[in-house]
Amino acid sequence: MTSVHRVTLVGLGAIGASYGERLLAAPGVELRVLVDEERKRRYEQSGVRVNGRRIDFPLMVPATSVEPADLVIFCVKYDDLASAIEMVRRHAGPNTVFMSLLNGIASEDEIQAAFPENVVLHAISVAIDAVREGRDVRYSTLGYISFGDATGRHEDAVRAVRDVLDRAGIAYETPEDILRVVWWKFMINVGINQASAVLRAPYGVFQRSEDAREVMRMAMREVVAIAQKRGISLSEDDVRGFDDILNRMSPNGKTSMLQDVEAGRPTEVEQFAGTVIRLGAELGVPTPVNQLLYHAIRTIAPHAKMSLASV
Ligand SMILES: NC(=O)C1=CN([C@@H]2O[C@H](COP(=O)(O)OP(=O)(O)OC[C@H]3O[C@@H](n4cnc5c(N)ncnc54)[C@H](OP(=O)(O)O)[C@@H]3O)[C@@H](O)[C@H]2O)C=CC1
Ligand SMILES: CC(C)(CO)C(=O)C(=O)O
């Protein structure tokens, strides 16, 4: 792929609407936001706002026949990834590149399994402080997207995605070792998302309280121990290094997991503590902090019946 023209976005929530607004305005980009019939009706009725401005996103249902996308971007929560993958099939052609901005370490493998012949880039969004209430999304910083090709075979796809992000004015980095960065972000989410959910704490609480930061760090250190066993070079410096990013976030901003808890939505706890507990058991790494967080978060938020606790 040499350049990105058609972009299909699935998931018009906190991060999807924030990046979607930029992509919609980008020169040479035809954005299609893929939704089911029910969501289309709902979004058209309520409108979608980003930082207080109504944005008329081009909503498209899966049945509409379209030219394949050059780039598909997933911005759903993990529980909705399987349905999003099915919806996107008609937008996929042999040259479609996929990118998932979901947190956690599993979404790229699931997308690759569904589209084995396509290029799937690894990506995460760092330091964005988007908050969604209903269909109103607000952010003070978009942070940046860190992305790359873990196989080292698709430099052309990386170049094309860089170019479209440049046109959209979305900041990015393309690190040498994207898998390390994905694990680094996983460490952050296991720490701050889960600590913020149980403490009901926006970023300002972590900026002020050494105790809150210590709750977060205790959970992160279990990810560091697991990562090291898997040959991924995370360390205490990475745990401490997150303070710089945290201190730049809006004090009123909230992690996606705290937003889920407050809105009564299912959380991504299976992807965070659930994964840490499972990998810890496989690798002989104790994970008491994540076990506590796992059960605490499942106590305060709706969750799937099948889970780590019931298998
Ligand atoms: N919020 C943040 O600051 C950050 C979030 N992330 C990660 O990004 C991912 C998305 O998070 P976030 O944006 O907060 O989540 P949101 O819940 O705000 O948005 C997800 C959106 O996906 C929509 N959706 C779900 N299933 C489908 C489907 N089948 N077709 C079309 N749309 C669908 C939902 O629609 P509806 O609302 O109508 O149900 C929802 O609006 C998560 O993995 C999160 O961990 C990463 C970095 C920062
Ligand atoms: C890092 C953080 C906390 C904000 O970008 C995030 O990824 C989330 O809220 O899910």
Side-chain angles (χ1 to χ4, degrees), residues 4-5 22-30 163-164 166-169:
V4 172
H5 169 51
R22 294 287 174 96
L23 288 163
L24 185 61
V29 171
E30 178 193 325
D163 170 64
V164 74
D166 279 336
R167 279 182 276 144

Side-chain angles (χ1 to χ4, degrees), residues 38 71 130 154 161 190-191 216 222 270 305 311:
E38 186 274 327
L71 177 65
H154 305 296
V161 172
V190 165
M216 171 187 91
E222 293 180 353
E270 303 297 333
K305 285 207 185 75
V311 289

Side-chain angles (χ1 to χ4, degrees), residues 254-305:
K254 295 173 185 175
T255 65
S256 53
M257 187 178 263
L258 177 56
Q259 293 179 51
D260 287 339
V261 168
E262 289 184 345
R265 297 189 294 252
T267 71
E268 293 180 305
V269 69
E270 303 297 333
Q271 289 311 305
F272 300 154
T275 302
V276 173
I277 296 166
R278 183 173 52 76
L279 293 177
E282 278 169 30
L283 296 164
V285 175
T287 56
V289 178
N290 276 281
Q291 290 184 29
L292 174 72
L293 290 169
Y294 180 81
H295 293 293
I297 293 163
R298 284 173 55 92
T299 306
I300 59 175
H303 53 77
K305 285 207 185 75

Side-chain angles (χ1 to χ4, degrees), residues 22 61 81 99 114 139 168 217 235 237 299 301:
R22 294 287 174 96
V61 293
L81 181 60
M99 195 159 96
Y139 64 85
R217 289 175 187 145
S235 71
D237 287 351
T299 306

Side-chain angles (χ1 to χ4, degrees), residues 44-112:
E44 282 172 349
Q45 210 167 40
S46 65
V48 177
R49 275 161 296 278
V50 178
N51 286 339
R53 198 164 69 90
R54 183 174 170 140
I55 312 286
D56 289 318
F57 284 103
L59 305 175
M60 194 175 273
V61 293
T64 314
S65 45
V66 284
E67 291 289 312
D70 301 312
L71 177 65
V72 169
I73 306 178
F74 289 98
C75 293
V76 296
K77 287 269 168 51
Y78 190 81
D79 279 354
D80 296 315
L81 181 60
S83 70
I85 285 174
E86 285 318 307
M87 278 175 62
V88 109
R89 286 198 182 276
R90 291 179 83 147
H91 286 231
N95 298 319
T96 302
V97 171
F98 291 88
M99 195 159 96
S100 150
L101 293 174
L102 275 69
N103 282 327
I105 52 175
S107 62
E108 284 85 2
D109 288 350
E110 293 209 9
I111 297 164
Q112 191 72 79

